[in-house]
Amino acid sequence: RTLCEIVGYNEQELLQRTFLDITHPEDHHAELESVRQILDGDIRTYQLEKRYITRSGSLVWVSVSVSVVRNSAGEPMHFIRQIEDITERKRMQSALSKAEERFRGAFDEAPIGMAMVTLDGRFERVNESLCKILGYPREQLQEMRVESITHPDDFGLDGAAMAEMRLGQRTSYSAEKRYLHASGHSLFCALQATVITDEHGQPSSFLSQIQDVTDRKRHEHQLEYLADHDVLTGLRSRRAFARELASHAGLAERYGAEGTILM
């Protein structure tokens, strides 16, 4: 009854057909070869995944386990087939495969640095953009730890946040920190780290997006310098003096004046 439900035929209709009649033509060769091996005594059983064509013409994926029954003389009498409908599992596998393919494409071709990082801080997978940012070949970078490319002064910058992510207390973290290029110089990068969880919802790794913002930081520093310094002399500007004066005046008003200001 269950086989009839899988393929859409009634019992009498099935009894008038062979297993090849309901097997997709592209799957004939693989099964016929297995049948030959089992009849020749090379194997005792075989198992495969194949497609059946239902009475309506649609396809169903099945898992088939086959064994042979022999008589007292050892001659094959008939086969016993155990058939399980795995169409839904195949559909989910296909959807997962497509999702993984899309992720791989987005990861590998991203114009910014991308890295899969283990919970203990080891690079597990990196893309070409990150290799260009840091100056390391992919094979070498994937054997390194995040600490080994982090500027010493920034070691403790994201330690607390990463610990919270490992404990599942937060799902993402962003910061700007300095990394060490393979040539030895430092560069500023914008980091965005996201937790990846396993099938049980527990943190399993980090997905890090890293973008080189060294030029932006340098321009910001230059703008800050120009805003507070005279272009010709390099001395602090009237704007900077006024800001410092206002700050000291506020302190004097709160805590009392000490000393004098001469201008």
Side-chain angles (χ1 to χ4, degrees):
R1 185 176 66 251
T2 301
L3 180 58
C4 292
E5 292 174 355
I6 290 175
V7 296
Y9 292 96
N10 61 42
E11 183 178 349
Q12 291 304 316
E13 289 174 327
L14 273 183
L15 290 176
Q16 297 173 14
R17 287 168 170 77
T18 70
F19 73 93
L20 287 180
D21 291 337
I22 62 171
T23 297
H24 193 284
E26 294 179 1
D27 296 339
H28 283 189
H29 177 75
E31 184 153 23
L32 286 175
E33 177 60 23
S34 297
V35 168
R36 183 195 64 78
Q37 292 179 357
I38 203 172
L39 290 176
D40 291 346
D42 297 334
I43 58 176
R44 298 183 61 183
T45 63
Y46 70 86
Q47 183 173 2
L48 52 79
E49 294 181 355
K50 57 182 284 188
R51 290 162 291 181
Y52 277 158
I53 303 173
T54 68
R55 193 175 192 278
S56 64
S58 61
L59 297 179
V60 292
W61 276 96
V62 293
S63 175
V64 182
S65 299
V66 182
S67 58
V68 66
V69 177
R70 299 179 183 272
N71 60 22
S72 58
E75 298 171 338
M77 297 174 58
H78 54 261
F79 292 108
I80 295 180
R81 291 171 170 262
Q82 294 176 300
I83 301 161
E84 180 185 2
D85 185 350
I86 59 171
T87 304
E88 182 61 20
R89 191 186 80 194
K90 280 288 191 178
R91 187 193 66 77
M92 294 179 63
Q93 288 176 345
S94 177
L96 179 61
S97 178
K98 290 178 180 178
E100 290 176 344
E101 185 177 351
R102 288 194 297 268
F103 172 77
R104 284 195 298 269
F107 184 97
D108 293 334
E109 303 301 326
I112 63 174
M114 301 285 289
M116 296 288 291
V117 182
T118 62
L119 294 181
D120 62 357
R122 179 177 55 82
F123 284 113
E124 191 172 32
R125 180 178 177 183
V126 298
N127 71 348
E128 189 60 31
S129 294
L130 184 60
C131 295
K132 291 179 180 178
I133 290 174
L134 298 174
Y136 290 96
R138 181 174 301 189
E139 294 76 13
Q140 182 178 356
L141 190 55
Q142 289 181 163
E143 295 178 353
M144 301 174 67
R145 300 179 63 81
V146 175
E147 291 88 343
S148 62
I149 63 161
T150 300
H151 193 285
D153 292 343
D154 291 347
F155 272 157
L157 184 62
D158 50 15
M162 291 300 181
E164 292 175 356
M165 292 170 71
R166 281 191 288 269
L167 294 172
Q169 297 174 351
R170 64 189 300 175
T171 59
S172 63
Y173 165 74
S174 60
E176 291 186 354
K177 57 184 294 187
R178 287 166 293 179
Y179 288 114
L180 298 176
H181 191 272
S183 63
H185 69 271
S186 63
L187 60 160
F188 265 99
C189 291
L191 167 68
Q192 175 70 40
T194 305
V195 171
I196 296 178
T197 57
D198 59 20
E199 63 272 17
H200 304 296
Q202 297 300 311
S204 61
S205 58
F206 300 122
L207 174 63
S208 296
Q209 302 176 59
I210 300 170
Q211 188 170 7
D212 186 355
V213 295
T214 305
D215 289 340
R216 194 199 78 197
K217 296 292 285 189
R218 183 171 62 250
H219 293 323
E220 288 176 354
H221 179 73
Q222 290 173 346
L223 289 174
E224 291 173 358
Y225 180 85
L226 291 174
D228 290 340
H229 293 77
D230 180 79
V231 178
L232 183 61
T233 65
L235 299 176
R236 296 292 290 269
S237 66
R238 184 181 186 88
R239 176 177 177 275
F241 172 78
R243 187 175 65 248
E244 293 294 333
L245 179 60
S247 175
H248 283 292
L251 291 174
E253 182 178 356
R254 176 176 298 181
Y255 301 110
E258 294 183 3
T260 59
I261 297 178
L262 299 177
M263 179 176 178

